[in-house]
Amino acid sequence: MLLLRLALLATPLLAHDMWIEPMTFSPQTGEIVGVKLRVGQDLLGDPLPRDPALIRQFVVEDSEGRKPLVGRDGADPAGFFRVPAPGLLVVGYSSNPSAVELGAEKFNQYVKEEGLDAVAALRARRNETGAKARELFSRCAKSLVLSGTASDAEADRRLGFTLELVAERNPYSLRAGQDLPVRLTYENRPLSGALVVAMNRLNPSEKLTARTDNTGRVRFRLRPGGMWLIKAVHMIPAPAGVDTQWVSFWASLTFAPKGS
Amino acid sequence: MRLSQILTASLVLLCGGAARAHEIGTTRVAVLIHDDKTYEVEIVTDATTLAEKLEASAGASLPPGISADRLQAILTSFDETLRRRIKLAFDGSDVRPVIAYSVVPPIDAVSAAAATIRLTGPVPPGAQNFTWNFGWTFASYAMTVGSATQWLEGGESSTPVSLTAAAPPPSRISTAGRYLKLGFTHIVPYGLDHMLFVLGIYLLSRHARSVLMQVSAFTVAHSITLGLSMYGLISVPSRIVEPMIAISIAYVAIENLFLSELKSWRIALVFAFGLLHGMGFAGALKELGLPRSEFVTALLTFNVGVEAGQLAVIATAFLLVGWHCAHRDWYRGRVVVPASMLIACTAVYWTIERLAF
């Protein structure tokens, strides 16, 4: 595991993370929870209001099953759900693709920052390093919310997003000194060699990073307190005949175990 | 190609339309230029997230649950920091605006406090354009200058916006000319169906009175429905109007085969068909759009243009065949009957086509 310290807001902001921020991570049974979508960097995010043109899936999965989040178009929070019973709830948002075009330098820097080595290598091989790049990006964001007391028997669940981070243990029931295993899947198969980054709201400039192993797993030792964001980006060349060069998927996972 | 690539390709293609979508935030920027003398830029944005970013840039963090008054005080205290990521330039030269901050409390428990940041100052004399950059947002936002809107990514500079007054709205004369032309071209060359209808009317009889009476009835009728439709007083869907127009053409052409004199019922029918064609004209005119300021001018001149188009069709037919041949014995057998049959066949085909789709 590698510890990075990045100067906050020192570099121009290129590619932005997107995450889910419920108004509480520890709701009571029966409580209605507002779910905010945020786009930004270092956990400083702008509200992303509910946009029906962007939403592919916006759901919560609880003990009763999967339900769409209700909400008013254009509003922040973008959705609401009701907690039917104690337990771990999985909130998910996956988006339709958005297009963005970046100049060569900006794109190269962003590819480097996100650890997309294969993309950089392919660009070099195609002699495209000096060319601007057009990209279609989609969001695959999840959040874990705990109502009541944590149980080891419960864990994150797969929602079937194109790129998906799955916490393989309940992050709310981890004890001191225990690692959180996180698995990254792309099209339902483990993705190896991908950079996964974890950061905490209380100190977002301090980033934990790791590359996924052959089973798509990383392990993080996360201290309790503050909201955690775990994220990963995967980018592939766009298929021929499409008006874009790259297609990217942005997975994120948020949760907030209470500090002692 | 791997299966995953095929899936991705189909995903990308399926989402082609949606791919233009942007992650649009809640920030919006409105620019007003008052008489070329002063400018006013209003940024409306989420107060809490802006305060968070400003605090973070100073290495601090914002405690949760802060009141609107306190947020306003924080924004005001970070005035110099905020200015670092705002760029307002006239002809490429930065200006330093006066900035006022106000934060209104959220309207309910789940809403967020909104900050209104107003930047004001004098426009440098003779300035031609201005550029804008707001670097405190990550999401896309709209910047409006008068009635023009630019969509900007967070931190992206706007393209230079011209300050020279927007082109004045077109004058009545130019509007009249434009719609006269649109009306004419709606018949010649684009309105083959209307051309065939008019030809059908023309071919009935060799007498000028016949053409005059029918054309007058047709004109009065289509003017009525064109006007009523454009004012929204009547509305008949084009899926009904368009096949009916085709039927009317077929009827007129087929009747020409059995009739060679003007009868009063023929005038009545042409009048009724004119009502239909008027609704067709209205459908076309609605697609073209009418300027709100010169609605009547545009409507009248479009109608006159349509009229001129019809007269052009009749004049051409008269010059080509009528003048030389109308009084020959073979005129009916070699001109009226074959031409009417051709028109009738075309119209029947159109009727089927328009009903089918």
Side-chain angles (χ1 to χ4, degrees), chain B residues 124-136:
Chain B
Q128 294 295 307
N129 67 55
F130 97 105
T131 33
W132 167 258
N133 189 317
F134 183 58
W136 291 102

Side-chain angles (χ1 to χ4, degrees), chain A residues 56-71:
Chain A
R56 177 178 287 266
Q57 280 191 69
F58 193 22
V59 293
V60 61
E61 195 168 294
D62 55 37
S63 52
E64 294 176 351
R66 196 179 295 188
K67 297 164 218 166
L69 261 64
V70 294

Side-chain angles (χ1 to χ4, degrees), chain B residues 195-204 214 252-253 256 266 340 343:
Chain B
M195 283 162 78
L196 292 190
F197 184 81
V198 173
L199 275 181
I201 284 176
Y202 173 79
L203 288 170
L204 173 71
Q214 290 184 88
V252 166
N256 285 350
R266 167 84 171 204
S340 293
I343 293 171

